[in-house]
Amino acid sequence: MQVVREIATATLGRDPGPLSAVASSSHQVYVSPDVVVKIIDVAAHARLDREIALAPDLPAGLTAPLLGSGLWPLGTREVRYACYARVPGTAPGIGMPGVNRVTAQLLAADAVRRLGALHGWTPSDPAERTLREPLDHGGFAGRAALLAEIDRLAALNRDGAVPRRQLDGLMAIADRAPLAAQTVVPVHADCHWGNWLAREGTVTALLDFEWARFGEPADDWFFLAQFSGPHLEIVLDVIANATATPQETLRAQCEVREAAHLASDLRSGLERPGPRAGLIADRLRALEELVVGRHWWRSSRAVPRMPRQIKPVLSNGPGRLHPATIPCRWRSRHTVGGAALPRRPPGRLGNKLGLLLGRGWWELS
């Protein structure tokens, strides 16, 4: 705590007043009535450097003003620090606990507007170089990258920690994912509701730009919706209306991004299972909701449910589904192995059950 007070005093030119620690998964963070200080050992990750480099160039009013940054001695080592002005407001929090529907809608509309400013921002040359620096962000980077991540996860899953149906569900999502991920606009890439400040139904700041990079707007819409708790449908509606994005498109974009993050987190957890047991359990619950609960589609009729009768045969690598090997009465509008399959039988489309498995919609006759 003493080094934090020294940093704040040197930055402000006066005593900062009472300082208290706040929870953070990536840095040590301390706040006073006027200032926020983030520190991290220089030997740890370099994401604070990224945030410091971007802060002076971000759109005005988007985040907390950076007052100072640099290195500070701490015993025989050094810490990197960033000192920010304290912005009024409190974080709505992951899941938006205690936030009512009206407030959630107001906050979502304000957040979408502010993220729109970020997506429309033209960074300076130095900021652009920072945004383009390689970053293992764990997000969606294209179909091939997601398939490869799932294959790595399946190879590590020797003890069966990840149930087979969850791996198959991940693979099904990957098989229908876009071929490529765009890197066309600046994105925050971690804008869950714990990284926003708000007061009286109005957003006051977006914090923690350590994961910022070039991506596409959906990379941010996913975080905004996914961590809105009971207000997911409200937030999806706000995003869809503000951006003129069809609901089905938005839901599919969010689904594939959640799949990418979960696959990455689970692969990382299985590589170092001891200290990450809690993370693995949490991600497995989320994966069950994604591929079995299909929570992105609960209020949409655009995508049918997964058929419970399917018992797929695996091929083309761990966890891969091959439509030609599904042993049940399925018909495709496409071909398998170059041979045309019978057309679907007649009947009402509303009474059909389909599953997109890479090569096309498969319908139970």
Side-chain angles (χ1 to χ4, degrees):
M1 179 71 77
Q2 181 57 35
V3 68
V4 176
R5 181 168 297 279
E6 292 173 0
I7 290 170
T9 300
T11 301
L12 295 174
R14 58 176 174 80
D15 187 87
L19 283 161
S20 57
V22 297
S24 171
S25 61
S26 55
H27 301 88
Q28 295 180 55
V29 181
Y30 299 84
V31 300
S32 82
D34 301 319
V35 71
V36 177
V37 181
K38 299 173 72 170
I39 63 172
I40 189 168
D41 195 291
V42 293
H45 64 75
R47 296 196 303 271
L48 185 57
D49 293 0
R50 192 183 200 89
E51 181 174 291
I52 291 168
L54 293 173
D57 201 35
L58 289 169
L62 180 61
T63 192
L66 179 66
L67 302 177
S69 62
L71 299 177
W72 198 271
L74 179 62
T76 59
R77 65 186 197 279
E78 288 183 312
V79 294
R80 184 170 300 283
Y81 73 90
C83 193
Y84 295 92
R86 180 91 181 262
V87 176
T90 57
I94 292 178
M96 304 184 87
V99 176
N100 62 43
R101 292 173 58 88
V102 173
T103 303
Q105 188 173 33
L106 291 172
L107 292 178
D110 208 3
V112 169
R113 180 181 61 81
R114 287 173 177 261
L115 286 170
L118 174 63
H119 300 160
W121 166 53
T122 301
S124 66
D125 289 345
E128 180 172 350
R129 286 194 294 271
T130 298
L131 290 167
R132 294 200 183 280
E133 288 174 359
L135 184 66
D136 184 14
H137 53 77
F140 179 63
R143 184 190 298 172
L146 179 53
L147 290 171
E149 185 72 280
I150 297 170
D151 282 343
R152 288 194 292 271
L153 171 61
L156 289 166
N157 191 41
R158 291 180 289 271
D159 296 332
V162 184
R164 171 55 60 187
R165 67 176 180 177
Q166 293 187 357
L167 284 174
D168 293 345
L170 273 178
M171 195 61 70
I173 293 172
D175 278 339
R176 62 178 177 262
L179 287 175
Q182 300 181 55
T183 54
V184 292
V185 299
V187 296
H188 183 278
D190 195 28
C191 54
H192 58 72
W193 290 101
N195 278 337
W196 293 90
L197 295 179
R199 184 174 62 172
E200 298 178 355
T202 301
V203 167
T204 58
L206 175 57
L207 309 176
D208 295 349
F209 279 76
E210 62 186 86
W211 292 104
R213 56 183 173 84
F214 276 106
E216 54 188 295
D219 296 322
D220 283 339
W221 306 146
F222 159 69
F223 279 98
L224 211 60
Q226 168 67 8
F227 297 100
S228 57
H231 306 301
L232 182 143
E233 293 299 327
I234 292 174
V235 175
L236 284 174
D237 284 344
V238 168
I239 297 169
N241 291 333
T243 62
T245 304
Q247 279 272 357
E248 293 77 10
T249 300
L250 180 59
R251 291 173 189 273
Q253 290 173 334
C254 291
E255 181 183 57
V256 74
R257 279 157 179 79
E258 184 176 9
H261 282 288
L262 290 177
S264 175
D265 285 354
L266 284 167
R267 185 263 307 157
S268 177
L270 291 182
E271 286 175 342
R272 298 181 293 279
R276 297 200 169 192
L279 179 141
I280 292 174
D282 177 77
R283 299 305 188 267
L284 286 175
R285 287 190 293 269
L287 185 54
E288 183 79 1
E289 273 291 286
L290 176 68
V291 303
V292 179
R294 308 215 64 199
H295 70 97
W296 290 108
W297 304 99
R298 282 177 186 158
S299 297
S300 173
R301 296 180 181 178
V303 174
R305 293 177 300 168
M306 296 285 225
R308 288 172 293 181
Q309 298 92 334
I310 259 188
K311 295 182 179 179
V313 178
L314 303 179
S315 64
N316 298 336
R320 298 299 304 275
L321 296 175
H322 195 297
T325 61
I326 297 175
C328 58
R329 293 179 295 148
W330 293 87
R331 300 293 182 264
S332 173
R333 285 176 277 176
H334 299 283
T335 63
V336 173
L341 293 179
R343 297 175 62 185
R344 73 180 188 205
R348 290 174 58 86
L349 183 60
N351 293 331
K352 298 294 181 180
L353 198 58
L355 175 63
L356 185 61
L357 292 178
R359 295 190 181 215
W361 284 97
W362 294 76
E363 296 175 338
L364 186 60
S365 59

